[in-house]
Amino acid sequence: MQEITFKQIEYGSETYKEELQFRNRVLRIPLGMSLFDENLEKEATEIHLGAFSEYRLIGVLILSELNKTEVKMRQVAIDDGWRNKGIGSQFIKFSENFCAQKFYTTILLHARKTAVHFYEKCGYQVQGDAFLEINIPHFKMYKSIKQQTK
């Protein structure tokens, strides 16, 4: 298997534009929606992470700061051809380490019902009952992470 690398994507860069197309193709078009119908201005203040095989973007996730200790993970996606190869778990671990280095202690997310088991295997816990988001059942989930020492 090819080496997979994970890194931050700079907002507004060419790779960010590629990320938008990727998220639209993987997360919105299958639902009959378009990412470009949404207000994307707040993304300038968010952390965008990418998974790459050589120079090809094969996964994305966004981290949104909620406060000084909590961050929300959203828009998590791995390209169809790269799923079930352990990349998602590696990507989640990378994002947790990234958050710990930034001194966040808790990651929150809204998991599609179909992804709950994946996140549970990564150590996340369900909080509350199912709710609808973009007309799909979701669950709130969270995980406490250890801070890195300076």
Side-chain angles (χ1 to χ4, degrees), residues 22-102:
F22 179 93
R23 287 168 39 213
N24 192 52
R25 177 174 51 82
V26 175
L27 297 172
R28 291 297 183 259
I29 290 174
L31 302 176
M33 303 169 76
S34 173
L35 180 70
F36 302 102
D37 291 339
E38 300 173 25
N39 182 350
L40 301 174
E41 288 178 14
K42 72 175 183 167
E43 293 199 359
T45 63
E46 297 176 312
I47 300 166
H48 300 259
L49 301 177
F52 297 84
S53 172
E54 295 183 2
Y55 296 103
R56 182 171 172 237
L57 182 65
I58 62 166
V60 298
L61 70 76
I62 298 173
L63 300 168
S64 304
E65 182 177 273
L66 300 174
N67 56 54
K68 295 295 180 196
T69 62
E70 296 179 320
V71 65
K72 181 178 180 184
M73 183 186 299
R74 63 184 203 86
Q75 297 278 296
V76 179
I78 301 292
D79 199 11
D80 285 342
W82 292 90
R83 291 188 188 152
N84 300 312
K85 297 179 186 223
I87 295 166
S89 300
Q90 292 174 45
F91 199 12
I92 297 300
K93 190 66 173 165
F94 173 83
S95 70
E96 291 169 358
N97 290 335
F98 184 95
C99 289
Q101 290 172 356
K102 302 289 183 189

